[in-house]
Amino acid sequence: MRIVALAGGIGGARFLRGLQAAAPAADITVIGNTGDDISLFGLRVCPDLDTVMYTLGGGINEEQGWGRAAETFTLKEELGAYGVGPGWFGLGDRDFATHIVRTQMLAAGYPLSAVTEALCDRWKPGVRLIPMSDDQVETHVVVDDPEQGRRAVHFQEWWVRLRASLPARSIAAVGADDAAPAPGVLAAIADADVVLFPPSNPVVSVGTILSVPGIRDAVAAKTVVGVSPIIGGAPVRGMADACLTAIGVETSARAVAEHYGSDLLDGWLVDEADEGVRAEGVEVRSRPLLMSDPEATAAIARAALDLALELRERHGAGAGVDDTAGDGA
Ligand code: GDP
Ligand code: CA
């Protein structure tokens, strides 16, 4: 069975680990968000790609959800001693090595997709991880700064430094209009039996991936099931509500499903707290959606996959799924 998932960082990576447990024999391609990417200290940092790579490769700081396990911060302290910032973005010594390798390869002319593949040679995440695009796309947020007035800041500055404390007037994926999907992205979607949206941020993770020309249409042609990142009218963690508000979408499981739309979404998993929620043209199922431990997370992934296969069957495309998930389910 071939599965494509569109993933951001923590929410995406945790779901993917559950998906691997639920369907160990499945061929999984992950299309990663690169809108959060940022250049710091002359190095190219790709937070979402790295979170997926480290989580699935066994190198993640489990408590934090991002960054490396057993990390030290000597380099950051030394940079600080020179007065060189930013100090608000946590880059550890081990993590720095990843960004040095990436930057060196990019400078030598390799596209980000090839760099990501090379980094994954070490981490062996067990999925094919492809950035949404080799072209630079940066999520910018327009805020009303009390000191500097209305200005656009890089997503990381808004999210990490400001903790989304200044309301976003608008959010834009700068460069997306002229970006092309990375090699392999459209083919993976076309070849997929089903496409899954993990409970990643619908605006700045999944939404950014869908904003790359060609990806949305390719996904819309498939059977797509999403997992709601919103439970009982609030994000489970993080500040997704601030992103939804910025684009005029209510923070609710229903509103997020309708924002994706029935042209894109065939099925939508909501938490038991949202039982009874309906979304026009979308098959909604409720079940526990807290990724509290590996078993609970695998059960969520299994439910998303089962719903997708059921809907695929119903739409008459079910013949020929090589269901070698190997879990006996
Ligand atoms: P990313 O978008 O994948 O980079 O990940 P974030 O860490 O920013 O989180 C994205 C979304 O995942 C947030 O809106 C959270 O509400 C949601 N989320 C985090 N943990 C869980 C969980 O256990 N269950 C569900 N359903 N959503 C979660
Ligand atoms: Ca992210």
Side-chain angles (χ1 to χ4, degrees):
M1 182 170 33
R2 286 188 288 256
I3 305 169
V4 163
L6 312 190
I10 305 176
R14 289 197 172 144
F15 173 84
L16 289 166
R17 204 156 51 175
L19 184 61
Q20 286 181 315
D27 173 343
I28 303 171
T29 298
V30 178
I31 298 168
N33 171 42
T34 59
D36 299 12
D37 295 5
I38 187 167
S39 292
L40 296 167
F41 313 107
L43 301 175
R44 195 67 184 156
V45 180
C46 301
D48 282 355
L49 294 178
D50 289 348
T51 296
V52 170
M53 183 174 79
Y54 293 155
T55 302
L56 302 187
I60 200 78
N61 177 326
E62 291 287 346
E63 297 72 48
Q64 201 168 249
W66 54 270
R68 291 288 310 279
E71 189 57 289
T72 53
F73 291 88
T74 306
L75 200 42
K76 191 177 179 223
E77 284 160 27
E78 290 293 317
L79 288 163
Y82 284 111
V84 173
W88 48 264
F89 201 89
L91 288 183
D93 300 328
R94 292 178 189 280
D95 201 18
F96 259 112
T98 304
H99 312 316
I100 290 170
V101 174
R102 174 184 293 122
T103 305
Q104 211 165 30
M105 286 189 72
L106 289 170
Y110 290 94
L112 182 62
S113 51
V115 175
T116 305
E117 201 181 326
L119 294 171
C120 285
D121 274 345
R122 171 183 174 192
W123 290 101
K124 301 194 175 14
V127 298
R128 185 159 161 240
L129 175 61
I130 319 180
M132 64 191 199
S133 178
D134 280 334
D135 302 318
Q136 202 160 306
V137 176
E138 272 190 4
T139 304
H140 288 193
V141 180
V142 175
V143 295
D144 288 322
D145 190 315
E147 276 121 51
Q148 291 162 269
R150 182 158 295 196
R151 66 186 184 110
V153 298
H154 189 287
F155 172 74
Q156 296 295 355
E157 187 175 351
W158 182 63
W159 193 255
V160 180
R161 185 174 82 81
L162 299 168
R163 305 299 303 162
S165 58
L166 296 178
R169 297 293 165 210
S170 61
I171 298 179
V174 178
D177 290 350
D178 302 317
V185 166
L186 295 182
I189 297 169
D191 289 347
D193 294 308
V194 297
V195 176
L196 301 179
F197 293 177
S200 280
N201 190 305
V203 184
V204 296
S205 293
V206 179
T208 307
I209 299 169
L210 292 170
S211 74
V212 176
I215 295 187
R216 192 185 168 98
D217 287 347
V219 169
K222 310 303 290 190
T223 301
V224 183
V225 167
V227 178
S228 177
I230 305 300
I231 296 181
V236 180
R237 54 176 297 285
M239 304 158 287
D241 48 334
C243 301
L244 288 165
T245 303
I247 63 162
V249 174
E250 180 191 277
T251 302
S252 71
R254 181 197 52 79
V256 173
E258 288 181 344
H259 167 64
Y260 282 136
S262 60
D263 57 323
L264 203 56
L265 220 49
D266 298 283
W268 185 236
L269 288 186
V270 303
D271 189 77
E272 285 177 322
D274 295 305
E275 178 146 25
V277 160
R278 293 189 203 297
E280 183 73 32
V282 180
E283 179 82 19
V284 182
R285 299 267 166 88
S286 66
R287 47 151 301 113
L289 284 192
L290 274 184
M291 299 189 286
S292 44
D293 59 53
E295 292 71 35
T297 309
I300 294 168
R302 184 74 244 178
L305 193 51
D306 285 346
L307 177 56
L309 292 173
E310 184 190 320
L311 293 173
R312 187 176 192 278
E313 194 82 29
R314 197 188 294 176
H315 299 153
V321 176
D322 173 21
D323 194 0
T324 47
D327 62 346

